[in-house]
Amino acid sequence: MGAAGPSNDVLDEIFNRTINSRSIFLNRDVLRNDYIPDHILFRDDQISQFGSILAPILRGNKPSNIFLYGKTGTGKTVVARYVTKKLYERILKLNLNTKFLYINTRLASTQYKMLVELGAQLDISLPFTGLSLSEAASRIFDKMKRDGINTIIILDEIDYIVKNYDDNILYEFTRVNNELLNGNFISIIGISNDLKFKEYLDPRVLSGLSEEEMVFPPYTVDELEAILTDRIKTAFRPGVVSESAVKLCASLAASEHGDARRAVDLLRVAGELAEREGSDVVDTDHITKASRSIERDRTYEVIRSLPLHGKLILAAVLAAVLAAPEDINTGRLYSNYTSMARSLGVEPLTQRRISGILSELDVLGVVNAPVVSNGRFGRSKRVKLVVPREVVSRALQEDELISSILK
Ligand SMILES: Nc1ncnc2c1ncn2[C@@H]1O[C@H](COP(=O)(O)OP(=O)(O)O)[C@@H](O)[C@H]1O
Ligand SMILES: [Mg+2]
């Protein structure tokens, strides 16, 4: 056999297998994170409550601002998108000049990018730099006024933007009044994965935003199993996913809190692993392997995509763990953080903001931070790192600035 022989054979085999075998998937898109299922199970109460709060739009009246709370994977995004999609169908039929805008603030990553994205959804292009936040916001308001439109703005994962920046821009949006908009309105739907998030909001912003509140409880194991079973029908060919695999998937996804996102992600990754192995079933082994691979990737990605101060705080946690693993109190943490920030020529944030970012890291499952009230530190609080040190260190090293102080 020639030198190129074996590798060609391997490739041929892979390609032939793909061509000759049927995919175990019927439609893998229904396992994507942004897929809106036709049936949303166990959320009838939230759907009807949310629908009733928004229904006045159909008569041209301003609905209350609403806050949706619940841990990750409790169906907040999917319910909000489902209800607003249905409402929008009615709005089109009625020929109303009303628009829904949707932003995930974590994905937008900065307040300014969030405004650029809002602008884009209204067909105005804001320059990528050069405007102050309030100038950018006024251009958005001007456009709404010129077009005479009512807008409902969904700010998903709103806790991210507030904890990592401040709430001034939200204040502008809650404060904007009839006069400024020429009789039109803006309603805000805020969605937060952190139930404690309210403590980080200025009381003026909080009262403006949470005229109505809805809570999404975690799913039970049985509910997760039903959600998975329903999704499997459209995602996989019949009989591909074993019953024990579904059970394992549901119980892993319920181990911290009943998290449907984790359940669906596990199923997707397990399916991909099975397909790559050429297996025509998805079994418990695939779920177990998927779980390990998701955890590793998730922690790494979460840390790598933190904003600068989030990374600095984590670097400070890491330094504290290495110095005295049993005793990371927030005082030590704050002084580590402050000196690290200064050594990079970065102005340190206030303790209140740091406390907000720590709580965000807690929600993301990177640290265990004590519950604090009013966004302030208590003296005796302890912080714990709950992911492997080497993953933290490896992810932080990827940031040039941070890696210079880790040495
Ligand atoms: N009640 C439900 N019925 C069917 N699928 C659901 C339900 N709740 C959540 N899901 C699915 O779980 C995943 C995560 O839901 P999502 O709404 O994004 O959670 P959250 O926004 O609360 O973090 C999505 O893929 C969604 O399709
Ligand atoms: Mg969500």
Side-chain angles (χ1 to χ4, degrees), residues 123-143:
D123 301 321
I124 52 172
S125 61
L126 295 169
F128 285 107
T129 54
L131 294 186
S132 70
L133 285 176
S134 49
E135 276 168 337
S138 325
R139 291 211 190 164
I140 289 175
F141 299 147
D142 284 346
K143 169 72 174 173

mmCIF file of all heavy atoms in Angstrom, residues 123-143:
data_model
loop_
_atom_site.group_PDB
_atom_site.id
_atom_site.type_symbol
_atom_site.label_atom_id
_atom_site.label_comp_id
_atom_site.label_asym_id
_atom_site.label_seq_id
_atom_site.Cartn_x
_atom_site.Cartn_y
_atom_site.Cartn_z
ATOM 1 N N ASP A 123 -34.290 49.424 11.928
ATOM 2 C CA ASP A 123 -33.751 49.906 10.652
ATOM 3 C C ASP A 123 -33.006 51.229 10.747
ATOM 4 O O ASP A 123 -33.064 52.027 9.811
ATOM 5 C CB ASP A 123 -34.857 50.041 9.584
ATOM 6 C CG ASP A 123 -35.538 48.719 9.328
ATOM 7 O OD1 ASP A 123 -34.814 47.700 9.319
ATOM 8 O OD2 ASP A 123 -36.769 48.699 9.175
ATOM 9 N N ILE A 124 -32.365 51.482 11.861
ATOM 10 C CA ILE A 124 -31.430 52.603 11.848
ATOM 11 C C ILE A 124 -30.051 52.065 12.198
ATOM 12 O O ILE A 124 -29.913 51.151 13.010
ATOM 13 C CB ILE A 124 -31.785 53.762 12.823
ATOM 14 C CG1 ILE A 124 -32.010 53.248 14.244
ATOM 15 C CG2 ILE A 124 -32.986 54.539 12.342
ATOM 16 C CD1 ILE A 124 -32.160 54.373 15.250
ATOM 17 N N SER A 125 -29.026 52.620 11.540
ATOM 18 C CA SER A 125 -27.703 52.109 11.879
ATOM 19 C C SER A 125 -26.973 53.153 12.699
ATOM 20 O O SER A 125 -26.732 54.271 12.266
ATOM 21 C CB SER A 125 -26.924 51.734 10.625
ATOM 22 O OG SER A 125 -26.756 52.857 9.818
ATOM 23 N N LEU A 126 -26.672 52.761 13.926
ATOM 24 C CA LEU A 126 -25.908 53.637 14.809
ATOM 25 C C LEU A 126 -24.433 53.355 14.539
ATOM 26 O O LEU A 126 -24.065 52.210 14.287
ATOM 27 C CB LEU A 126 -26.240 53.317 16.264
ATOM 28 C CG LEU A 126 -27.687 53.597 16.695
ATOM 29 C CD1 LEU A 126 -27.975 53.010 18.063
ATOM 30 C CD2 LEU A 126 -27.955 55.097 16.697
ATOM 31 N N PRO A 127 -23.590 54.399 14.592
ATOM 32 C CA PRO A 127 -22.171 54.160 14.370
ATOM 33 C C PRO A 127 -21.621 53.250 15.479
ATOM 34 O O PRO A 127 -22.161 53.250 16.580
ATOM 35 C CB PRO A 127 -21.554 55.554 14.467
ATOM 36 C CG PRO A 127 -22.537 56.365 15.228
ATOM 37 C CD PRO A 127 -23.885 55.801 14.913
ATOM 38 N N PHE A 128 -20.578 52.475 15.178
ATOM 39 C CA PHE A 128 -20.079 51.533 16.175
ATOM 40 C C PHE A 128 -19.359 52.217 17.330
ATOM 41 O O PHE A 128 -19.211 51.655 18.402
ATOM 42 C CB PHE A 128 -19.208 50.459 15.527
ATOM 43 C CG PHE A 128 -20.037 49.464 14.792
ATOM 44 C CD1 PHE A 128 -20.074 49.450 13.405
ATOM 45 C CD2 PHE A 128 -20.834 48.566 15.492
ATOM 46 C CE1 PHE A 128 -20.883 48.552 12.731
ATOM 47 C CE2 PHE A 128 -21.643 47.667 14.824
ATOM 48 C CZ PHE A 128 -21.669 47.666 13.431
ATOM 49 N N THR A 129 -18.893 53.433 17.105
ATOM 50 C CA THR A 129 -18.310 54.195 18.212
ATOM 51 C C THR A 129 -18.695 55.655 18.029
ATOM 52 O O THR A 129 -19.234 56.039 16.994
ATOM 53 C CB THR A 129 -16.767 54.164 18.199
ATOM 54 O OG1 THR A 129 -16.324 54.609 16.919
ATOM 55 C CG2 THR A 129 -16.229 52.790 18.500
ATOM 56 N N GLY A 130 -18.375 56.458 19.032
ATOM 57 C CA GLY A 130 -18.483 57.903 18.855
ATOM 58 C C GLY A 130 -19.694 58.541 19.493
ATOM 59 O O GLY A 130 -19.678 59.736 19.767
ATOM 60 N N LEU A 131 -20.746 57.784 19.755
ATOM 61 C CA LEU A 131 -21.912 58.370 20.414
ATOM 62 C C LEU A 131 -21.889 58.002 21.896
ATOM 63 O O LEU A 131 -21.433 56.927 22.263
ATOM 64 C CB LEU A 131 -23.208 57.812 19.817
ATOM 65 C CG LEU A 131 -23.560 58.139 18.383
ATOM 66 C CD1 LEU A 131 -24.953 57.592 18.078
ATOM 67 C CD2 LEU A 131 -23.517 59.636 18.120
ATOM 68 N N SER A 132 -22.406 58.899 22.722
ATOM 69 C CA SER A 132 -22.585 58.514 24.120
ATOM 70 C C SER A 132 -23.808 57.603 24.179
ATOM 71 O O SER A 132 -24.607 57.570 23.242
ATOM 72 C CB SER A 132 -22.799 59.744 24.983
ATOM 73 O OG SER A 132 -24.060 60.304 24.689
ATOM 74 N N LEU A 133 -23.935 56.896 25.297
ATOM 75 C CA LEU A 133 -25.093 56.008 25.436
ATOM 76 C C LEU A 133 -26.399 56.779 25.322
ATOM 77 O O LEU A 133 -27.336 56.335 24.659
ATOM 78 C CB LEU A 133 -25.042 55.298 26.790
ATOM 79 C CG LEU A 133 -24.028 54.174 26.934
ATOM 80 C CD1 LEU A 133 -24.036 53.645 28.360
ATOM 81 C CD2 LEU A 133 -24.344 53.037 25.956
ATOM 82 N N SER A 134 -26.462 57.961 25.937
ATOM 83 C CA SER A 134 -27.757 58.649 25.892
ATOM 84 C C SER A 134 -28.036 59.243 24.511
ATOM 85 O O SER A 134 -29.181 59.311 24.101
ATOM 86 C CB SER A 134 -27.926 59.659 27.021
ATOM 87 O OG SER A 134 -26.823 60.481 27.109
ATOM 88 N N GLU A 135 -26.968 59.611 23.783
ATOM 89 C CA GLU A 135 -27.206 60.054 22.399
ATOM 90 C C GLU A 135 -27.745 58.900 21.553
ATOM 91 O O GLU A 135 -28.680 59.071 20.769
ATOM 92 C CB GLU A 135 -25.900 60.544 21.756
ATOM 93 C CG GLU A 135 -25.574 61.989 22.070
ATOM 94 C CD GLU A 135 -24.137 62.337 21.667
ATOM 95 O OE1 GLU A 135 -23.288 61.423 21.560
ATOM 96 O OE2 GLU A 135 -23.876 63.514 21.465
ATOM 97 N N ALA A 136 -27.140 57.737 21.740
ATOM 98 C CA ALA A 136 -27.604 56.569 20.980
ATOM 99 C C ALA A 136 -29.056 56.272 21.323
ATOM 100 O O ALA A 136 -29.879 56.015 20.438
ATOM 101 C CB ALA A 136 -26.716 55.366 21.268
ATOM 102 N N ALA A 137 -29.380 56.340 22.628
ATOM 103 C CA ALA A 137 -30.761 56.077 23.038
ATOM 104 C C ALA A 137 -31.718 57.110 22.427
ATOM 105 O O ALA A 137 -32.790 56.748 21.938
ATOM 106 C CB ALA A 137 -30.876 56.071 24.560
ATOM 107 N N SER A 138 -31.296 58.408 22.409
ATOM 108 C CA SER A 138 -32.210 59.409 21.832
ATOM 109 C C SER A 138 -32.464 59.153 20.361
ATOM 110 O O SER A 138 -33.560 59.389 19.872
ATOM 111 C CB SER A 138 -31.688 60.838 21.907
ATOM 112 O OG SER A 138 -30.979 61.057 23.023
ATOM 113 N N ARG A 139 -31.430 58.676 19.644
ATOM 114 C CA ARG A 139 -31.679 58.385 18.218
ATOM 115 C C ARG A 139 -32.718 57.289 18.054
ATOM 116 O O ARG A 139 -33.541 57.329 17.141
ATOM 117 C CB ARG A 139 -30.386 57.953 17.537
ATOM 118 C CG ARG A 139 -29.417 59.095 17.437
ATOM 119 C CD ARG A 139 -28.563 58.970 16.219
ATOM 120 N NE ARG A 139 -27.494 59.945 16.291
ATOM 121 C CZ ARG A 139 -26.407 59.900 15.543
ATOM 122 N NH1 ARG A 139 -26.244 58.916 14.673
ATOM 123 N NH2 ARG A 139 -25.486 60.825 15.651
ATOM 124 N N ILE A 140 -32.664 56.340 18.961
ATOM 125 C CA ILE A 140 -33.654 55.262 18.916
ATOM 126 C C ILE A 140 -35.051 55.821 19.211
ATOM 127 O O ILE A 140 -36.012 55.541 18.494
ATOM 128 C CB ILE A 140 -33.268 54.142 19.911
ATOM 129 C CG1 ILE A 140 -32.043 53.413 19.362
ATOM 130 C CG2 ILE A 140 -34.413 53.178 20.155
ATOM 131 C CD1 ILE A 140 -31.475 52.362 20.278
ATOM 132 N N PHE A 141 -35.142 56.651 20.246
ATOM 133 C CA PHE A 141 -36.445 57.240 20.589
ATOM 134 C C PHE A 141 -36.969 58.120 19.441
ATOM 135 O O PHE A 141 -38.156 58.100 19.131
ATOM 136 C CB PHE A 141 -36.359 58.068 21.883
ATOM 137 C CG PHE A 141 -35.946 57.262 23.087
ATOM 138 C CD1 PHE A 141 -35.187 57.841 24.105
ATOM 139 C CD2 PHE A 141 -36.298 55.923 23.209
ATOM 140 C CE1 PHE A 141 -34.799 57.099 25.214
ATOM 141 C CE2 PHE A 141 -35.916 55.171 24.313
ATOM 142 C CZ PHE A 141 -35.153 55.769 25.318
ATOM 143 N N ASP A 142 -36.055 58.889 18.832
ATOM 144 C CA ASP A 142 -36.468 59.744 17.710
ATOM 145 C C ASP A 142 -37.066 58.930 16.572
ATOM 146 O O ASP A 142 -38.058 59.312 15.964
ATOM 147 C CB ASP A 142 -35.272 60.526 17.152
ATOM 148 C CG ASP A 142 -34.899 61.679 18.067
ATOM 149 O OD1 ASP A 142 -35.718 62.011 18.948
ATOM 150 O OD2 ASP A 142 -33.792 62.229 17.904
ATOM 151 N N LYS A 143 -36.422 57.814 16.307
ATOM 152 C CA LYS A 143 -36.896 56.955 15.228
ATOM 153 C C LYS A 143 -38.297 56.410 15.549
ATOM 154 O O LYS A 143 -39.179 56.384 14.695
ATOM 155 C CB LYS A 143 -35.886 55.815 15.034
ATOM 156 C CG LYS A 143 -36.356 54.695 14.144
ATOM 157 C CD LYS A 143 -36.421 55.074 12.673
ATOM 158 C CE LYS A 143 -36.772 53.842 11.834
ATOM 159 N NZ LYS A 143 -37.014 54.190 10.438
#
